[in-house]
Amino acid sequence: MKRNHILTIGLSLFFTATQLQAKVYHVKINGTGDGSSWETACGTLDDAIDKAAIGDEIWIAAGTYKPTKLIKNRAKNSRHFLLKDGVSFYGGFEGTETDKAQRKMKDSGKAWEYVNETILSGDDDGVEDKWVRTETPENPFIYGWEVEKNVVLGTEGNANHLLFNKVELTAPVTIDGLTLKGANAMDYKSICVGGAIYALGNVTITTCQFIENSCYFKADGDRYANGSAIYLVGKGNAQIKDCYFYRTYAHAPSSQAKGGAVYAENVNISNCDFTECVSLDFGGALFNVKGNVNNCTFKDCYARQGGAVVSDGIMRNNKIYTCRGVFGGGIYNSGVAINNIVANCFADYTLLGEDKGGQGGGVYNVGTFVGGLVYNCTSFLGGGIFNEGGKIINCTVQNNSLRKGTDNENIAFKDGKEDPTKVINTLGNGIDIKANFVKPTEFKGCTLDEKLMKEVFEADWNLKYKSEFIDKGEAITIENYDKDVLGNKRVMGKGIDFGAIESNPETAGITQNVNNVANAQTNYYTINGQYIGNKRPSQAGIYIAKTTNNQQTIKVCKVIVR
């Protein structure tokens, strides 16, 4: 033990000393220098990577950079940029900045949208990639991508990886401000997972965009195609935050694909958006192993199991809309899920016949599902939630539907019987209780009709003033559960309410729209207008807070942090 302790201290001192001597290497298109400044910038990213050592940073100016080095000499598509131990990558520069905070952000308020876009592109074969969403004719419930020879059109010759190192990284690495697009990890000899980023270790990935990445395990065997954009196995302090994932595809016909966009072990994931992400097997957008997923949004994703997410970790304050699957149209939960909204999702498979089909239009629950709002979803069994031995606590599960029939259309159980010890303080099956809500949807099940979808997003599932379910819940004790799905105190009256939203006696009768609150985002800026993030600053000073909802400004105010 003493020897290990001394070794730990030694490594810590080594990294600290290294950081004090850290260098910044600059990269620009057509640069010809040694990288020591923007005026003498390196012309290629590989040149800067070769020069950099532990603790150094690489600042990359706007432009498109394509990998040329091979992981395997005989695998022509195994082109990549080396993810070097302890070397961090920063994009979004114009090429004049002296501080990372000087990078300019777009007016959209999105943390990943830089005025000067730095792109690492795997689409380097001269063939146009064509990402066309399609429903498979043999099974119209597989909502995938149009493919040829099992790959998305035009991607067969793309580079396998963008940032890659199969060896565990022992020093911290940050990847920030990059757009990573067009990777297709399909050569199993050079690892067919993590097309945009493949990393083992404490890597922090922030304010990046991942566009049109894929992975495909084409050989026979027991290997997988996991995380078409990111494959990250953390070692205690790995993070993915403030990132955007769009159009991803993971599949492995002879084995399994896990995580259409991200496969993560022991990683904290927060404030990310996932749109149109597909895995043909598990986790359309995300396969979360023992990690934390907070404040993320998932839309239009598909996987057979867990249309948006498969998780055995902790999920909190996420929103899942219009996703599809067979087992859990939105979430397959075997961990703990707290205060998640799942709406307009679907899980079914009609080819199983009239007497079989999908389970859990919104959620397939094996773990603990707390404070969730699950509504207007559809399945064969359990239009809202299908429960396999898990617990459902303080949830609102309403206006869900079945392919046929109405029995247990909100919540269904594997053994066919509801266990009162497993479903607590939940508004689910039973008599029609629609009159208790402020503004519920007027129809059941999921929809593709734009007018009805608007109704889904404008629904208000607050309990009406003097509802019979206010203060009538059973007292519960759940770790870190002191707020409801809207962020209100969980108990504000004489006792806990039934359902996902706590009624506030002081504001009874005032409408509070669930999705307006869920979609609102506050971004913070310096007094000079420099974007600094979407979390309240901790350093003393004066800041500007801008709150937007669907890109419309709701409020702008001055914030003083003392």
Side-chain angles (χ1 to χ4, degrees):
M1 292 294 291
K2 183 176 181 180
R3 181 179 179 183
N4 289 338
H5 183 60
I6 292 172
L7 178 60
T8 301
I9 294 174
L11 287 172
S12 177
L13 290 173
F14 171 72
F15 290 141
T16 301
T18 301
Q19 289 170 357
L20 292 174
Q21 304 170 27
K23 296 180 180 179
V24 174
Y25 290 94
H26 304 75
V27 181
K28 260 186 175 182
I29 300 294
N30 298 324
T32 58
D34 61 3
S36 58
S37 68
W38 288 120
E39 290 74 18
T40 59
C42 296
T44 69
L45 182 53
D46 283 326
D47 188 17
I49 293 171
D50 290 342
K51 295 176 185 294
I54 287 179
D56 291 345
E57 297 179 356
I58 298 177
W59 293 10
I60 314 167
T64 299
Y65 303 82
K66 299 181 178 182
T68 58
K69 290 190 175 182
L70 300 178
I71 299 170
K72 298 287 185 180
N73 290 333
R74 294 185 179 181
K76 65 178 183 178
N77 288 0
S78 66
R79 300 179 295 279
H80 74 298
F81 294 113
L82 179 64
L83 190 57
K84 205 168 185 179
D85 201 8
V87 176
S88 295
F89 297 78
Y90 294 88
F93 293 95
E94 181 181 8
T96 59
E97 298 86 347
T98 56
D99 191 294
K100 294 190 287 290
Q102 294 173 344
R103 292 176 293 176
K104 297 177 182 177
M105 307 302 300
K106 292 185 177 180
D107 292 336
S108 66
K110 300 294 185 182
W112 48 80
E113 291 192 347
Y114 289 82
V115 170
N116 299 293
E117 189 175 12
T118 301
I119 301 171
L120 306 189
S121 177
D123 184 14
D124 54 0
D125 62 348
V127 179
E128 181 185 2
D129 296 351
K130 297 180 180 179
W131 287 73
V132 180
R133 203 74 188 265
T134 183
E135 296 178 338
T136 305
E138 301 82 26
N139 179 11
F141 301 106
I142 294 181
Y143 191 38
W145 296 103
E146 186 175 334
V147 298
E148 185 175 274
K149 297 180 180 179
N150 284 311
V151 298
V152 173
L153 303 178
T155 64
E156 186 173 4
N158 289 14
N160 286 165
H161 294 279
L162 293 174
L163 293 171
F164 174 90
N165 193 335
K166 69 177 181 179
V167 178
E168 181 179 331
L169 303 172
T170 58
V173 170
T174 296
I175 301 166
D176 178 278
L178 301 175
T179 295
L180 301 99
K181 63 184 296 185
N184 180 18
M186 60 178 288
D187 184 90
Y188 76 94
K189 292 182 179 179
S190 55
I191 305 180
C192 53
V193 303
I197 296 177
Y198 178 95
L200 313 173
N202 289 327
V203 177
T204 295
I205 303 168
T206 61
T207 65
C208 288
Q209 298 188 76
F210 296 84
I211 312 294
E212 296 181 347
N213 296 287
S214 56
C215 62
Y216 165 49
F217 180 58
K218 60 184 178 180
D220 293 331
D222 60 357
R223 300 190 184 188
Y224 304 122
N226 297 343
S228 63
I230 298 176
Y231 179 96
L232 178 57
V233 177
K235 300 299 177 179
N237 195 28
Q239 298 183 64
I240 303 170
K241 60 182 180 179
D242 297 318
C243 290
Y244 177 58
F245 299 84
Y246 178 61
R247 289 184 174 175
T248 65
Y249 187 42
H251 62 125
S254 63
S255 56
Q256 297 174 338
K258 299 177 181 178
V262 176
Y263 176 92
E265 295 183 20
N266 305 308
V267 178
N268 292 322
I269 303 171
S270 61
N271 304 316
C272 294
D273 279 8
F274 298 80
T275 302
E276 294 198 65
C277 300
V278 175
S279 166
L280 292 190
D281 299 302
F282 303 102
L286 170 63
F287 196 93
N288 173 44
V289 182
K290 296 180 175 61
N292 294 281
V293 184
N294 302 315
N295 298 305
C296 294
T297 301
F298 303 83
K299 297 178 182 177
D300 298 318
C301 300
Y302 170 84
R304 176 174 58 86
Q305 182 170 305
V309 183
V310 169
S311 175
D312 71 358
I314 298 175
M315 294 187 63
R316 183 185 292 271
N317 301 323
N318 302 288
K319 294 156 295 272
I320 297 95
Y321 303 121
T322 323
C323 293
R324 303 190 195 184
V326 180
F327 304 102
I331 302 172
Y332 186 99
N333 174 54
S334 59
V336 177
I338 299 176
N339 291 345
N340 297 284
I341 298 173
V342 184
N344 205 47
C345 292
F346 177 92
D348 203 2
Y349 186 71
T350 57
L351 297 185
L352 292 175
E354 289 296 312
D355 300 320
K356 294 181 181 180
Q359 300 170 348
V363 179
Y364 193 110
N365 184 52
V366 184
T368 301
F369 196 78
V370 182
L373 175 58
V374 183
Y375 67 103
N376 285 96
C377 299
T378 299
S379 188
F380 180 79
L381 290 175
I385 300 176
F386 185 87
N387 196 54
E388 184 184 341
K391 289 188 175 182
I392 302 172
I393 303 170
N394 270 102
C395 293
T396 297
V397 190
Q398 291 290 304
N399 278 1
N400 301 288
S401 70
L402 304 177
R403 190 204 306 169
K404 62 178 184 178
T406 59
D407 291 343
N408 298 329
E409 58 188 350
N410 286 316
I411 305 174
F413 304 86
K414 187 174 183 181
D415 57 8
K417 296 181 180 180
E418 180 171 340
D419 183 346
T421 66
K422 298 291 181 68
V423 181
I424 302 168
N425 298 344
T426 290
L427 301 173
N429 297 331
I431 61 173
D432 185 359
I433 60 172
K434 186 165 59 176
N436 284 272
F437 300 106
V438 172
K439 187 183 176 183
T441 50
E442 296 297 325
F443 66 99
K444 292 182 178 181
C446 65
T447 181
L448 296 178
D449 182 272
E450 289 188 7
K451 184 178 179 180
L452 293 179
M453 287 180 68
K454 183 180 179 182
E455 186 177 331
V456 169
F457 292 119
E458 292 180 350
D460 185 343
W461 295 96
N462 278 277
L463 292 172
K464 282 184 177 178
Y465 180 54
K466 292 187 178 181
S467 165
E468 62 184 293
F469 298 111
I470 294 175
D471 295 342
K472 297 299 173 61
E474 174 186 334
I476 59 172
T477 301
I478 298 174
E479 186 178 1
N480 296 322
Y481 180 54
D482 56 359
K483 293 184 178 180
D484 69 9
V485 74
L486 295 183
N488 303 315
K489 289 176 62 177
R490 184 61 261 198
V491 179
M492 290 188 283
K494 296 178 181 179
I496 193 169
D497 297 348
F498 271 74
I501 303 174
E502 194 76 9
S503 178
N504 186 347
E506 297 180 1
T507 59
I510 299 176
T511 297
Q512 186 177 13
N513 182 281
V514 169
N515 289 291
N516 280 348
V517 174
N519 290 332
Q521 178 175 333
T522 300
N523 294 295
Y524 294 90
Y525 302 80
T526 66
I527 201 70
N528 296 321
Q530 178 64 47
Y531 175 78
I532 57 175
N534 56 16
K535 292 184 178 180
R536 183 182 175 89
S538 57
Q539 185 174 348
I542 301 175
Y543 302 90
I544 301 298
K546 178 181 178 182
T547 302
T548 59
N549 182 28
N550 294 326
Q551 298 187 6
Q552 294 184 346
T553 299
I554 299 174
K555 180 174 69 173
V556 178
C557 63
K558 187 179 294 184
V559 175
I560 300 176
V561 178
R562 301 184 189 278

